[in-house]
Amino acid sequence: MSSYNKKTKKAISVLSGGLDSTVATSFYKDNYDIHAITFDYGQRSVESEIHASKKICEKLGFKHSVIALPWLSNLGNSALTSEEKLPLLSMDELDDKELTEDSASKVWVPGRNIVFTAIATSYAEAEDADIIIVGWDKEEANTFPDNSKEFLESFNDMIYIGTKKTVEIKAPAIDLNKKEIVELGKKVDAPLELSYSCYTDNKKHCGICESCLRRKRAFIESEIADPTEYLE
């Protein structure tokens, strides 16, 4: 398969290789010539994220680039980019507002989506792309404000004013929870089996971090077969 589809419209995708960004990118795969970018910001799971993103792009015929942001891991004290212990929850605690907000604060990377989306905007302008694809969703927005609809609308307002070319951020999962994202992924034939959602860097998902638990629950609730290999 060609590494770069020849379609009329172009898109830049912010692709971590996770469930959300994989489904969001796949939503546009038939209509856009997509250049996916994956960020290396010193996160624990960087090798697995890059590997997953590369495999997804190879399967779907997208151009893929990795952008290193080594300085980002030096800001804050996120458990994703440091030796701090990852917060652990049970499946029954995933909807506990107080516990999940505490968990989110421990893995928060300062300004991460602002930085990623700003860089994607530069790529979009330079490559004459029409849209930027992101995996922001309703479930993540409960504890991560940079996944919210308000954040999406505000960023779109900013780039409308601040760019020479009309570029729009598209987040097809912005009103969806994880269960609905899995269902959308099935509908658009996203390569869910290639995606990687774990906070750790293993060949298999750890099965116990919050990201793994949300992934597990989504497949269980959607009643769609989970292709993920978990250590636990």
Side-chain angles (χ1 to χ4, degrees):
M1 182 181 290
S2 169
S3 62
Y4 203 18
N5 291 322
K6 299 301 179 183
K7 300 184 178 75
T8 303
K9 296 182 290 186
K10 295 182 179 180
I12 301 296
S13 169
V14 179
L15 179 67
S16 70
L19 177 66
D20 306 332
S21 63
T22 298
V23 172
T25 304
S26 298
F27 185 83
Y28 293 101
K29 64 182 170 58
D30 295 328
N31 297 311
Y32 284 85
D33 186 359
I34 297 176
H35 179 184
I37 53 179
T38 303
F39 291 97
D40 173 359
Y41 56 99
Q43 67 271 40
R44 295 174 186 241
S45 57
V46 61
E47 294 300 328
S48 295
E49 288 185 19
I50 291 173
H51 177 77
S53 297
K54 180 180 179 182
K55 291 297 182 183
I56 290 163
C57 289
E58 286 177 352
K59 180 166 185 177
L60 298 180
F62 302 156
K63 180 180 177 181
H64 181 236
S65 298
V66 177
I67 300 174
L69 301 173
W71 54 269
L72 191 52
S73 65
N74 296 324
L75 303 181
N77 196 33
S78 173
L80 298 186
T81 58
S82 70
E83 296 302 316
E84 293 293 319
K85 286 187 178 181
L86 288 167
L88 296 178
L89 299 173
S90 69
M91 191 81 79
D92 293 337
E93 294 172 330
L94 292 179
D95 294 318
D96 185 306
K97 184 70 170 175
E98 183 176 347
L99 291 176
T100 54
E101 284 186 344
D102 180 65
S103 176
S105 70
K106 291 176 180 176
V107 297
W108 178 260
V109 179
R112 178 174 56 178
N113 277 351
I114 295 174
V115 172
F116 291 177
T117 314
I119 292 172
T121 301
S122 293
Y123 271 79
E125 276 209 282
E127 299 185 11
D128 199 31
D130 300 285
I131 64 171
I132 297 165
I133 306 166
V134 297
W136 309 339
D137 66 271
K138 184 173 69 175
E139 186 165 326
E140 296 287 346
N142 287 329
T143 49
F144 294 96
D146 58 356
N147 271 255
S148 67
K149 182 176 283 188
E150 291 80 8
F151 182 74
L152 171 66
E153 292 171 348
S154 296
F155 217 113
N156 268 326
D157 287 342
M158 181 180 68
I159 63 176
Y160 177 78
I161 295 169
T163 56
K164 292 287 188 181
K165 171 184 167 51
T166 301
V167 181
E168 184 179 3
I169 305 166
K170 293 286 191 178
I174 199 69
D175 291 318
L176 307 181
N177 60 30
K178 299 285 185 178
K179 167 184 174 288
E180 294 165 328
I181 291 170
V182 168
E183 292 170 343
L184 177 61
K186 183 74 171 179
K187 181 178 179 180
V188 300
D189 196 25
L192 301 177
E193 73 284 357
L194 297 179
S195 63
Y196 188 85
S197 302
C198 189
Y199 283 156
T200 65
D201 194 31
N202 299 293
K203 290 184 178 179
K204 297 181 180 180
H205 287 65
C206 75
I208 58 173
C209 72
E210 184 177 346
S211 187
C212 278
L213 290 182
R214 290 189 182 279
R215 182 185 177 102
K216 277 184 178 180
R217 185 175 71 169
F219 279 101
I220 292 169
E221 291 182 346
S222 66
E223 299 183 343
I224 292 172
D226 188 351
T228 316
E229 289 187 277
Y230 299 101
L231 290 174
E232 296 188 41

